[in-house]
């Protein structure tokens, strides 16, 4: 008789895994908080380790059958977890730095992925058979290249400080976003391409598609951001209910992502630019309490999604089914894993240092704040060595059918991906804080303070973007000083005219404070 | 070649329905905002009507095949939509009124559901065959009783004002929550009970189970609330990151619901009491910005979930498959629908008026603020006539298998439920504002101001519970005036000692401001 409310929990098998995941997420938060001041560990490492422990416990409870309670689905990842992370990235990014370094970011994020993919594809194609690991097709080698070219920069961003190293932070951060988009787009391109007939025409077409995709996705995101800002400004929802303006912002952001996917564009880019536009205009059109709420809502959703992903990776590491299914000797598996890590190191070095030099050459003006020193380049190189959720998601998409595979070669690649993600996140992540402290010694001060959403709550509560406003107007004044300088520094010129245009036409329509006019 | 990012949208069939739903939700928000000052329409009616229009459009696009794009699943409803609504209810409720009227609320919410279920079951059992509607089993008649006894008080709460009619508001609101829990528990009990052998022993056992369930569910919710408050207070997450304290509150609330379901308790009651405890203790242990954020986050989630449900109901109304499958003549269907509405009216009248009289008798003390007048009773009766999401969810659970049915009798019951929900929400909901304005004329003032989260944003931004604090301490002072009064008014006495206990033991441990001690 006590059993009469059994229905929900027992008819719907999702209840148990959701409960377990939510409980472990809570544990992660508490432990992450307690380890906050530790100089080695960061949030991702904590989550992976806790996930590993939880996986072990579940493995024992299941009597060695399986360590995971939720099958990994790219659907869950691409529909629910990735959009809030990327939107929050756009919403909280310091726009001035991002746009000033736009060219360098695009170099790293687009050209870099192409270079890295080529090197990893060629290297694994050449080396894997020598290690006794056969069975991958040409398309799969190309997929491996993109899978291991998508970086996870969350770890590094938790260590780099936006205020202390604005240049590095914006480069690493911006590259991370563009890189995510590029690798997903490239991965999908490889699924459709006729591998046997790659020539210069198809390559050109590929590049054309990329430009089309980047521009339309960006335009869609900008449109969504502007529409949201305009409707919030004209309707002024806050008059009746702050709840509506919050809901509109959240729903429109999500809609932009989904619509981009429906229109075969890159949802990641769309939602990123939607976030930028929303924080630039829409954010100023809502009530005071909604401003505070949106900033924290988005940061929280992003944080929970990230933690969830790392937790999952940790939990899935002990997936015995896949380990047993690989049929490779431990030696071969370790050799292929070592090869992949080596190729990742080389592939990244192959574009970071040349492209940094190229970027320094492009910006070779006496009064540019500072060029990318060798130390900076090493940090950028290191920051992109971690592999994360996007790699896992792409690997599952390539080598499994809804998370299940019975093929030993596919199982080996999944296992390899998981080991690479674990290794790079744990080992490289572990060394990141000491490395940055060693290379950029000014970081010694104030290590307890961290990136987005984790500053002293009073400080950043009300004025998240004013620092940007202030520095922008300083730049304008500086820019006005000499016309020759304006001609020499195209980025500043663009920025100056953009500010003028923004103040005169955009802000009156879409909202936001008008910065002090350059005339006075 | 332009198709190479097709994968996500076309492999995963959820993208289209999610996009459509999110887009329509946005539309609902905008139209709801524009109609805010209209005296007839409310949010639920808007959502149902828009859902109906969207359903018609989809019906035409599908060439008359089907009007819905997402199958109704009780899973979606019970796992994702209901918890935020109920948690927010607990989080925003004015606790003083709720606990002072606790006995009356329990009378309405528990005894009332039993009376209403009996009348609807008996009435439909007697009348349906006379109308030519055969084929329901004894268990199904019992299920029909509970399905149509679960009220939806959202509509009325949007019209009643917590500040103007605290007594009525807390009664209607409290009944709504307890009623939800009771009807779900009763419904599940009916699934397990041996219908052929109902005697006094099984009835007593049922009542015993109810008491066990109510007390354990409440205890679980209270425990979760206290654990959250204690950990937030001792660990002080805000020191490093406001994101973590937000995440902890959201995740713990959700975990309490899921755990209650896993333990075969009532998740609704658990998450409701968890919400009460969190707003009473945990809320004071977080940073200023998190306080603002939590209040708006929860209100927004609840609002979106409610709108989503009504939208869905409107969309599902035109589900042609079920309409065609009923095989009943329109006359019989309308007659059975009319019977159900009549039984709902009678069944509710049969407990509201007697139990109100009983409640007045219990509280028959000269200085009780005021008894429930006949007008109040009519408002309470009317407020509970609307049928909503819980009815639909239970009907789908009883009469379909994961949203699909091929049986004409079951299809007829589903259709009946949808018509009843539409009719009661639209017609009764439409008349609610005028009725309340007519019965309680003080409402004429300030009709633009509404319930939770929709007050002037500045006013309620920082001090959501202080009005409660202030009035509580006034009560304590009043209560101290005469010892005889304390003995005569057990609720006030309990409240007085609770305040003392709270200030001396609970608040120092779990957080929150200590009200001015009664001594001074």
């Amino acid at each position: 008789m006590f059993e009469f409310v059994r229905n929900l929990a027992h008819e719907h098998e999702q209840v148990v895994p959701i409960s377990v995941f939510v409980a472990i997420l809570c544990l992660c938060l508490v432990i992450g908080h307690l380890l906050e001041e530790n100089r080695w560990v960061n949030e991702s490492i904590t989550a992976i380790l806790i996930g590993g422990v939880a996986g072990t416990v579940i493995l024992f409870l299941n009597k060695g059958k399986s360590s995971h309670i939720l099958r990994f689905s790219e659907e869950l990842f691409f529909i629910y977890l990735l959009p809030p992370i990327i939107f929050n990235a756009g919403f909280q990014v310091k726009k001035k730095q991002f746009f000033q370094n736009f060219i360098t970011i695009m170099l790293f994020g687009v050209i870099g992925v192409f270079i890295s993919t080529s090197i990893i594809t060629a290297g694994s194609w050449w080396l894997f058979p020598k290690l006794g690991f056969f069975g991958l097709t040409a398309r799969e080698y190309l997929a491996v290249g993109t899978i291991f070219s998508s970086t996870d920069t969350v770890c590094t961003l938790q260590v780099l400080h936006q205020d202390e190293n604005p240049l590095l932070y914006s480069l690493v951060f911006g590259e991370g976003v563009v890189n995510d988009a590029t690798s997903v787009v490239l991965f999908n391109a490889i699924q459709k391409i006729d591998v046997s007939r790659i020539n210069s025409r198809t390559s050109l077409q590929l590049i054309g598609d990329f430009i089309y995709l980047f521009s339309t996705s960006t335009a869609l995101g900008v449109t969504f951001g502007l529409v949201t800002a305009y409707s919030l400004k004209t309707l002024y929802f806050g008059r009746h209910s702050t709840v509506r303006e919050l809901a509109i912002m959240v729903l429109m952001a999500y809609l932009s992502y989904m619509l981009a996917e429906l229109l075969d564009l890159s949802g990641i880019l769309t939602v990123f630019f939607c976030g930028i536009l929303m924080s630039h205009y829409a954010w100023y059109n809502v009530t005071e309490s909604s401003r505070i709420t949106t900033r924290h809502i988005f940061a929280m959703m992003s944080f929970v999604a990230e933690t969830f992903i790392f937790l999952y990776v940790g939990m899935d590491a002990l997936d015995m089914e896949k380990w047993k299914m690989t049929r490779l000797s431990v030696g071969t598996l370790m050799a292929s894993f070592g090869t992949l890590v080596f190729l990742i190191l080389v592939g990244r070095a192959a574009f970071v240092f040349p492209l940094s030099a190229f970027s320094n050459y492009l910006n070779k003006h006496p009064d540019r704040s500072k060029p990318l020193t060798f130390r900076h380049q090493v940090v950028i190189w290191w920051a992109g060595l971690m592999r994360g959720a996007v790699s896992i998601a792409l690997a599952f998409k390539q080598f499994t059918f809804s998370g299940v595979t019975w093929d030993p070669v596919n199982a080996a690649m999944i296992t390899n991906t998981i080991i690479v993600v674990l290794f790079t996140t744990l080992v490289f992540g572990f060394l990141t804080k000491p490395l940055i402290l060693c290379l950029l010694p000014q970081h010694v001060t104030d290590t307890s303070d961290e990136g987005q959403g984790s500053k002293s709550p009073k400080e950043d509560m009300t004025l998240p973007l004013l620092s940007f406003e202030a520095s922008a107007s300083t730049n304008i004044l500086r820019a006005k000083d000499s016309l020759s300088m304006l001609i020499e520094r195209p980025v500043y010129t663009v920025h100056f005219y953009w500010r003028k245009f923004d103040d005169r036409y955009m802000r009156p329509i879409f909202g936001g404070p008008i910065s002090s006019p350059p005339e006075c």
Side-chain angles (χ1 to χ4, degrees), chain A:
Chain A
M1 201 52 178
F2 282 135
E3 294 164 353
F4 59 41
V5 262
R6 276 253 154 100
N7 299 33
L8 180 62
H10 299 258
E11 277 175 16
H12 304 292
E13 47 188 25
Q14 293 181 345
V15 175
V16 178
I18 292 178
S19 307
V20 173
F21 257 100
V22 172
I24 301 176
L25 265 177
C26 286
L27 191 71
C28 266
L29 291 176
V30 173
I31 294 176
H33 169 75
L34 295 175
L35 291 175
E36 181 82 32
E37 272 154 43
N38 187 299
R39 59 179 284 175
W40 298 88
V41 177
N42 62 41
E43 209 81 50
S44 325
I45 295 178
T46 317
I48 285 193
L49 291 179
I50 292 175
V53 173
T56 317
V57 172
I58 293 168
L59 197 67
F60 272 103
L61 292 179
N62 280 349
K63 296 175 188 75
K65 242 174 65 192
S66 114
S67 74
H68 56 169
I69 48 170
L70 267 184
R71 286 225 171 275
F72 190 90
S73 71
E74 328 101 54
E75 196 171 279
L76 176 73
F77 177 73
F78 282 109
I79 298 186
Y80 301 109
L81 298 176
L82 195 58
I85 297 177
I86 305 292
F87 177 78
N88 184 55
F91 198 77
Q92 318 265 3
V93 71
K94 291 209 170 162
K95 293 173 291 278
K96 188 190 139 212
Q97 270 89 20
F98 181 81
F99 286 109
Q100 277 183 352
N101 300 312
F102 193 71
I103 295 166
T104 315
I105 288 169
M106 293 308 277
L107 280 177
F108 285 153
V110 180
I111 313 292
V113 169
F114 278 85
I115 294 173
S116 169
T117 302
S118 323
I119 288 174
I120 295 173
T121 301
S124 56
W125 205 327
W126 181 53
L127 289 170
F128 273 14
K130 296 192 190 244
L131 302 167
F133 184 17
F134 302 98
L136 289 177
T137 64
R139 193 191 300 280
E140 282 169 342
Y141 278 116
L142 278 168
V144 167
T146 54
I147 288 169
F148 293 105
S149 292
S150 84
T151 66
D152 181 86
T153 37
V154 176
C155 284
T156 315
L157 292 185
Q158 285 176 350
V159 184
L160 275 176
H161 297 257
Q162 189 157 15
D163 304 317
E164 291 173 20
N165 270 297
L167 176 67
L168 269 191
Y169 187 93
S170 82
L171 284 181
V172 171
F173 176 87
E175 191 214 326
V177 173
V178 179
N179 170 300
D180 277 351
T182 312
S183 51
V184 172
V185 170
L186 193 58
F187 178 85
N188 288 326
I190 286 164
Q191 308 298 308
K192 308 274 162 169
I193 223 168
D194 188 351
V195 189
S196 55
R197 292 192 299 124
I198 301 180
N199 55 29
S200 59
R201 235 203 102 194
T202 49
S203 311
L204 269 179
Q205 208 179 9
L206 193 70
I207 291 164
D209 285 347
F210 255 96
I211 294 167
Y212 164 81
L213 217 96
F214 267 83
S215 49
T216 44
S217 302
T218 306
L220 186 69
V222 169
T223 311
F224 258 89
L226 290 180
V227 167
T228 311
Y230 185 74
S231 52
L232 282 174
K233 190 176 164 74
T234 46
L235 296 171
Y236 188 41
F237 290 91
R239 185 162 35 112
H240 292 312
S241 151
T242 55
V243 169
R244 280 208 194 89
E245 51 189 21
L246 288 174
I248 281 280
M249 284 178 83
V250 174
L251 292 175
M252 285 297 273
Y254 193 60
L255 190 60
S256 77
Y257 181 86
M258 295 306 259
L259 200 69
E261 292 295 337
L262 271 183
L263 296 174
D264 302 332
L265 304 175
S266 162
I268 294 178
L269 275 176
T270 303
V271 81
F272 177 71
F273 280 97
C274 183
I276 288 183
L277 268 282
M278 277 207 193
S279 76
H280 193 61
Y281 298 114
W283 191 81
Y284 292 98
N285 301 335
V286 296
T287 53
E288 180 62 26
S289 54
S290 293
R291 289 186 199 178
I292 299 167
T293 306
T294 43
R295 290 202 57 229
H296 289 90
I297 262 184
F298 297 137
M300 188 201 75
M301 282 161 62
S302 165
F303 179 79
V304 170
E306 274 167 17
T307 313
F308 184 91
I309 291 167
F310 283 107
L311 199 58
Y312 186 86
V313 170
M315 236 155 156
D316 209 55
L318 292 166
D319 184 357
M320 283 299 140
E321 292 170 39
K322 292 203 185 68
W323 283 89
K324 282 179 197 150
M325 213 182 296
T326 55
R327 287 203 214 141
L328 291 180
S329 69
V330 178
T332 314
L333 199 65
M334 283 301 121
S336 60
F337 148 72
T339 311
L340 283 171
V341 172
F342 171 75
L343 289 171
I344 288 171
L345 289 164
V346 173
R348 190 160 176 85
F351 74 83
V352 167
F353 298 104
L355 292 179
S356 296
F358 183 62
S359 161
N360 282 340
Y361 170 79
L362 279 184
N363 293 289
K364 203 177 61 184
H365 293 292
D367 51 342
R368 191 188 195 272
S369 44
K370 46 182 174 180
L372 287 169
T373 64
F374 182 70
R375 290 183 165 207
H376 285 150
Q377 297 177 20
V378 172
V379 170
I380 294 172
W381 172 68
W382 189 267
L385 290 179
M386 273 67 92
R387 295 297 171 266
V390 174
S391 295
I392 297 262
L394 293 180
F396 270 82
K397 206 166 175 178
Q398 175 69 40
F399 295 111
T400 71
F401 185 75
S402 341
V404 186
T405 179
W406 298 107
D407 181 63
V409 175
N410 289 351
M413 281 317 299
I414 295 286
T415 313
N416 256 329
T417 312
I418 290 172
I419 304 176
V420 168
V421 170
L422 285 179
F423 179 82
T424 53
T425 310
L426 291 180
V427 178
F428 293 167
F430 212 63
L431 297 171
T432 304
K433 268 195 195 180
L435 183 89
I436 290 178
L437 286 175
C438 160
L439 287 174
L440 309 166
Q442 77 269 36
H443 268 269
V444 177
T445 59
D446 191 25
T447 43
S448 70
D449 187 0
E450 288 219 349
Q452 48 187 48
S454 55
K455 285 168 219 147
S456 154
K458 280 227 175 86
E459 232 181 274
D460 68 347
M461 200 172 80
T462 43
L463 301 169
L465 300 159
L466 278 207
S467 57
F468 158 56
E469 303 302 330
S471 55
S473 58
T474 328
N475 281 321
I476 292 162
L477 291 174
R478 244 199 291 146
K480 276 212 74 172
D481 284 340
S482 100
L483 193 69
S484 66
M485 202 171 83
L486 284 179
I487 294 158
E488 269 178 57
R489 295 162 70 190
V491 172
Y492 277 86
T493 319
V494 169
H495 195 244
F496 170 75
Y497 283 110
W498 160 247
R499 293 296 308 171
K500 254 184 128 169
F501 177 73
D502 195 28
D503 282 343
R504 193 166 298 167
Y505 302 104
M506 300 295 277
R507 289 210 177 269
I509 300 172
F510 298 109
I514 292 157
S515 58
S516 53
E519 281 76 28
C520 66

